[in-house]
Each structure stands twice: as C-alpha cells, then as structure tokens.
Amino acid sequence: MPTLLPFVRGGATKKVKSAASSAASGGSSKGSSSGGGTMQAFQKKFGGGGGGGQQQGPEQAAAALAGKRLIPGQGLPHVTLHTVQGGVIEVGAPTGKWQLIVVYRGKHCPVSRNYLASLQQIIYELDDLGVEVLALTADGREKAEAFLDSLRATTETKEITYRIAYGLKLTDMHKWGLYVSHPRNIRETEHPFPEPAMFLINPEGQVQIAEYSNSPFCRPDLRIMIEGIRYIEENDYPVRGTYGF
C-alpha cells in the first residue's frame, strides 16, 4: 500500500527547515518573489489569504455556513459534474445502491493521490458489496486528467476503475458543508479548494456517514469503512448522529 505521506523524508525535512529559517530571517528566494503579484491579485479577487481584514464575497458566505455540516439521514444536495472518463453524473441522486463519494483536495496534493491509490487497491471489496465509488475535485478538466494519469502510475495495476469528477463549485462546497482553503501560493493552485471529505450514501439516497477534515492529514481508514458498510447491511444498522435534528 502506498505511503500516504511521500514527502516526509530527510531531504524534504531539511528543505522545509531551510525555508522556515529563511522566512524567519526575512530572506526571500526567487521562487517566493516570482508570482507574488499574481498571488496578490488572486487574494484580492477572493477576499484575502486567510489573514485579518473585512470578509468579502466567498469568505463571507463560508463564514455564514461555518459549522453547518450535512445532517445525517437527509439527502446530499445534488451536484451535476462531468467525469474525466466521459459523461455527466448527478452526484447525490439515489441509485438504489450504496455510494461512496470521496472529495479530494486537487492535483497539487500528494496525500490525496496516495489515498486514492489505496482506495483502488481495495476496490474489489467495495464492488463485492455493491458500492459505487466516485472521487471528485474542484480542479478543472486538464488538472483532473493529469491527476488521473499520476494516480494510475501510482497503482500496481496501472488502472483506476472508479470515476473521477471535476469542477466542484465553491457554492456546492458550502452546500455540502466542506472545509475550504485558499492556496498557500500560486504554484499550489489558483482557486479555493475543498479539504478532504467522505460521504457514504445509502440506497435510499440518504447520508449514512459524513466525514469531514480541515487538513490533508486526517482521513477515514478505508478498511474500517468497508467493515462498517458490511456491518450496516448485515445488521440493518441505523443512521447515527441525528440527535437534536
């Protein structure tokens, strides 16, 4: 199974420490100076990079929705997206089957790539349970296609058998209650992107399980998820976490 944190190595750590030392001393590099104006323009467009100041536009909407996650047992707000493999899918629409929807951060995130490669390794077990799997991102088509290519290269079989959808809009991220981040710099990406989330939709189209993270380093254990789906089916296990709704 792939290492989920491929960048945590001695060399990488030294580079991080070196960059941190440079920043602390007030130094700058060519990489940090180039593209600065572009990033400033981006932050102005989307209301800043997470610092102080008055909230504007999308950030104001995000603040209004903060803490308003999806209610278990209700439907996932429908979103129509294109898939890299071709065609259009209405995400959240009942299919009469279990659906596992995995929201990933984008092409720039190596943790997302390796997590989704691990998902491919156990896909046959999800197939046996009758679970339809979909991964989706806010990236555009070009980046989603490049991500799929890199994902294939990471797996042992060099194939990905589940669909990948792209173009998730900021308004839909808010409807789903996702945590949303600004890019740290223009080299990361050029738009706000969702942090990881996973939704298990039951055959009736209800949210059976909702899992959110505000960081790339916290994601559901796929093995536990598989055993959980099996247990739910065998024991008619109800939707949990509905107290007060």
Side-chain angles (χ1 to χ4, degrees):
M1 186 168 287
T3 301
L4 292 182
L5 304 179
F7 49 83
V8 182
R9 299 187 179 94
T13 303
K14 291 179 181 178
K15 291 181 180 178
V16 171
K17 289 182 178 179
S18 176
S21 298
S22 176
S25 62
S28 62
S29 63
K30 294 181 179 179
S32 61
S33 60
S34 63
T38 306
M39 193 59 192
Q40 289 175 0
F42 168 84
Q43 291 175 349
K44 182 178 180 180
K45 178 180 178 181
F46 290 104
Q54 185 177 1
Q55 293 178 327
Q56 302 174 8
E59 283 196 351
Q60 189 174 21
L65 289 170
K68 295 184 179 179
R69 310 300 168 206
L70 293 178
I71 298 175
Q74 294 190 358
L76 183 73
H78 294 192
V79 175
T80 301
L81 298 173
H82 290 271
T83 68
V84 177
Q85 292 85 348
V88 176
I89 182 172
E90 187 177 356
V91 185
T95 63
K97 297 182 178 181
W98 290 96
Q99 301 175 64
L100 187 64
I101 299 171
V102 183
V103 180
Y104 72 93
R105 304 174 81 228
K107 175 181 175 291
H108 64 279
C109 181
V111 185
S112 294
R113 183 185 64 242
N114 287 318
Y115 186 75
L116 290 174
S118 299
L119 177 61
Q120 177 61 37
Q121 290 188 358
I122 50 88
I123 197 68
Y124 66 93
E125 294 187 64
L126 291 166
D127 290 341
D128 290 343
L129 289 169
V131 180
E132 299 175 340
V133 178
L134 174 71
L136 58 86
T137 178
D139 282 346
R141 181 177 182 84
E142 184 177 344
K143 284 189 175 183
E145 288 178 339
F147 179 82
L148 177 57
D149 289 340
S150 66
L151 192 56
R152 285 176 176 145
T154 305
T155 63
E156 295 179 3
T157 60
K158 307 303 178 185
E159 65 176 350
I160 297 298
T161 58
Y162 54 83
R163 289 178 293 179
I164 295 180
Y166 60 90
L168 186 66
K169 297 179 180 179
L170 186 60
T171 53
D172 294 322
M173 299 181 212
H174 292 158
K175 289 178 183 178
W176 287 4
L178 303 178
Y179 290 104
V180 180
S181 290
H182 278 286
R184 297 167 61 209
N185 53 58
I186 198 65
R187 294 184 300 277
E188 189 172 60
T189 190
E190 68 283 355
H191 55 78
F193 59 89
E195 292 297 340
M198 181 180 288
F199 305 109
L200 179 66
I201 310 301
N202 62 30
E204 290 73 38
Q206 303 167 336
V207 177
Q208 184 84 26
I209 296 175
E211 179 71 24
Y212 296 93
S213 177
N214 70 317
S215 165
F217 310 119
C218 183
R219 304 177 190 236
D221 186 302
L222 294 171
R223 173 58 52 193
I224 293 177
M225 179 62 71
I226 288 174
E227 295 303 321
I229 296 171
R230 184 175 291 116
Y231 185 89
I232 291 169
E233 285 193 317
E234 292 176 352
N235 297 275
D236 194 24
Y237 194 75
V239 177
R240 309 303 290 161
T242 58
Y243 181 83
F245 293 112

